[in-house]
Amino acid sequence: MTTTLTREQARRIAVRAQLLDAHRPSSLVQTVDQLTLLQIDPTKAIAPSADLVAWSRLGDAYDHSDLTFALEQERSLVEFSSFVFPMDEIETVLALAPGRIHPTAVEWVGANAKFRRRILDRLRADGALVAGEIEDTSEVPWASSGWTNDKSVLRMLELLNRMGDVAVAGRRGKLRTWDLAERVYPADLQLPSVADAADVEIGRRLASLGIARPGRKDSTGGEVVGAGDTGVACTVTGVDGEWRVDPEALAALEDGFAPRAALLSPFDRLVYDRDRALDLFGFEYVLEMYKPAAKRRWGYFALPILHGDRLVGKLDAKADHKKGVLNVFAVHEDVAWTAETGDAVEAEIEALAAWLGVEVTHP
């Protein structure tokens, strides 16, 4: 039997699953465990995306040093292929990663067997290093049309990371340090089968989203955002097609919903699947940092604005830490806001500025 949900119920399931209702999580590790991952992106128009995602859940209880401590000291979290994962889930991640490497990259690693061995020997002898400290002795240099062209050491390290040979040990400023995987990951790793790992991944994905379409990729053709055939089959009133809902999230509808306002990273998983955001929230969004300024509707790094179970607008702002200000260029209202919504959003903007250690200004 297929369950039928109203759009409001579907939105509330999605918001609660992403820890964006009024019941805030108690720790960074608990947050990442529920979200399953934090995406790393270098853009710092306001703050790095991973920090924004954590702050939007934890509030001023979160500090960037918490992430560094969890990654480099406590080892409760781990950086892997542009994401932060719970260390408890690294077995699942490692089991699936090799199968997601492009065949041409696998062939390139095979053609550089001596180069690969020399890198591993160097890390074994000298410990964690940044890519620039390792000599490029590749037999076949890496070639691409992108930013990795001729960066053979970095590319080899990234591929060895996905193959489970090396791990990100920490960072020196913006640069990753690399070490042997055995020095970073738990000593008692036991990788599951690919099939079992895929089942775990898709189940955790649905739990983190609450509700999702069956298996598919996002609208840009990148990350898998669907739920496959896991969870409970459902339909959403007024929205075409089938959905899957996490059974625990479905049962939690009986507990009521506690709303709040939140400012979201453009990479936040509540809005990452743009088609899902449009279907459930009626929310149109495009990250416009790659557009010419004259063609932007909402701003370079506009933050989606959540109030209750609705995505209600975008915040166009930029932090200037040298001047100690958060420049608010525009607050775009997708719908007419009530006074309550306006007050809640303004309070959240002030909270963001306080967390950044700056003052709000409107140029």
Side-chain angles (χ1 to χ4, degrees):
M1 181 177 179
T2 300
T3 298
T4 299
L5 299 173
T6 65
R7 268 186 174 158
E8 181 184 64
Q9 288 175 318
R11 291 194 301 266
R12 291 184 173 187
I13 285 173
V15 169
R16 181 185 284 129
Q18 279 286 297
L19 305 177
L20 287 166
D21 64 348
H23 302 294
R24 294 183 183 268
S26 60
S27 72
L28 175 61
V29 175
Q30 179 189 4
T31 300
V32 180
D33 184 60
Q34 172 60 25
L35 302 184
T36 74
L37 56 81
L38 296 179
Q39 181 172 341
I40 299 171
D41 184 86
T43 308
K44 292 185 178 180
I46 296 175
S49 180
D51 288 329
L52 278 174
V53 171
W55 171 77
S56 65
R57 275 72 178 176
L58 294 161
D60 61 9
Y62 172 73
D63 186 87
H64 175 75
S65 62
D66 298 340
L67 181 57
T68 301
F69 178 79
L71 288 167
E72 300 182 18
Q73 303 297 320
E74 190 177 61
R75 299 286 194 204
S76 52
L77 301 177
V78 61
E79 181 176 340
F80 186 95
S81 189
S82 300
F83 296 96
V84 172
F85 294 100
M87 185 65 86
D88 286 348
E89 296 301 318
I90 194 60
E91 292 175 338
T92 298
V93 173
L94 289 172
L96 294 171
R100 293 170 175 172
I101 302 174
H102 195 279
T104 57
V106 175
E107 292 174 4
W108 179 77
V109 172
N112 280 283
K114 293 180 180 179
F115 179 40
R116 173 182 184 173
R117 187 167 60 251
R118 282 190 288 267
I119 287 179
L120 295 176
D121 288 344
R122 178 73 191 281
L123 294 177
R124 185 172 292 106
D126 296 341
L129 300 170
V130 300
E133 294 173 325
I134 300 174
E135 184 181 2
D136 183 354
T137 60
S138 55
E139 291 88 0
V140 181
W142 177 262
S144 78
S145 59
W147 71 274
T148 59
N149 191 50
D150 291 332
K151 296 186 178 181
S152 298
V153 173
L154 178 60
R155 191 60 180 141
M156 180 63 79
L157 287 166
E158 290 175 338
L159 290 169
L160 293 181
N161 181 213
R162 295 173 70 180
M163 292 175 173
D165 292 330
V166 305
V168 179
R171 286 193 175 239
R172 291 187 206 161
K174 296 180 180 180
L175 299 178
R176 289 167 291 183
T177 60
W178 304 88
D179 204 346
L180 299 179
E182 63 202 48
R183 294 175 178 162
V184 177
Y185 302 149
D188 57 349
L189 287 183
Q190 295 184 346
L191 302 194
S193 68
V194 172
D196 287 346
D199 287 344
V200 170
E201 181 189 60
I202 202 167
R204 283 177 52 75
R205 182 189 304 130
L206 180 58
S208 75
L209 295 172
I211 182 171
R213 293 287 194 182
R216 66 178 183 82
K217 293 187 176 181
D218 68 26
S219 56
T220 65
E223 180 177 321
V224 175
V225 293
D229 59 0
T230 194
V232 177
C234 73
T235 58
V236 178
T237 303
V239 181
D240 292 337
E242 180 187 346
W243 295 80
R244 309 295 295 194
V245 61
D246 177 61
E248 292 187 11
L250 185 62
L253 278 175
E254 300 178 0
D255 298 336
F257 180 77
R260 67 176 175 94
L263 304 175
L264 308 180
S265 162
F267 301 102
D268 197 290
R269 264 41 190 180
L270 187 71
V271 297
Y272 185 82
D273 181 349
R274 311 301 193 209
D275 293 337
R276 174 176 176 267
L278 189 60
D279 285 340
L280 297 183
F281 294 87
F283 185 71
E284 182 185 357
Y285 183 79
V286 176
L287 179 58
E288 297 180 310
M289 60 190 289
Y290 304 110
K291 288 186 176 183
K295 294 186 176 181
R296 294 174 190 150
R297 298 168 59 187
W298 305 303
Y300 175 82
F301 199 71
L303 305 188
I305 301 171
L306 176 74
H307 185 239
D309 63 9
R310 300 302 302 267
L311 289 162
V312 297
K314 294 96 175 170
L315 170 67
D316 181 12
K318 184 176 182 180
D320 186 334
H321 290 280
K322 290 184 178 180
K323 295 182 178 180
V325 296
L326 176 66
N327 292 307
V328 175
F329 303 113
V331 179
H332 301 280
E333 299 181 18
D334 285 9
V335 294
W337 289 3
T338 65
E340 178 188 7
T341 298
D343 290 346
V345 173
E346 183 62 31
E348 198 67 6
I349 294 172
E350 292 288 345
L352 173 60
W355 174 67
L356 293 170
V358 299
E359 299 290 332
V360 176
T361 185
H362 299 266

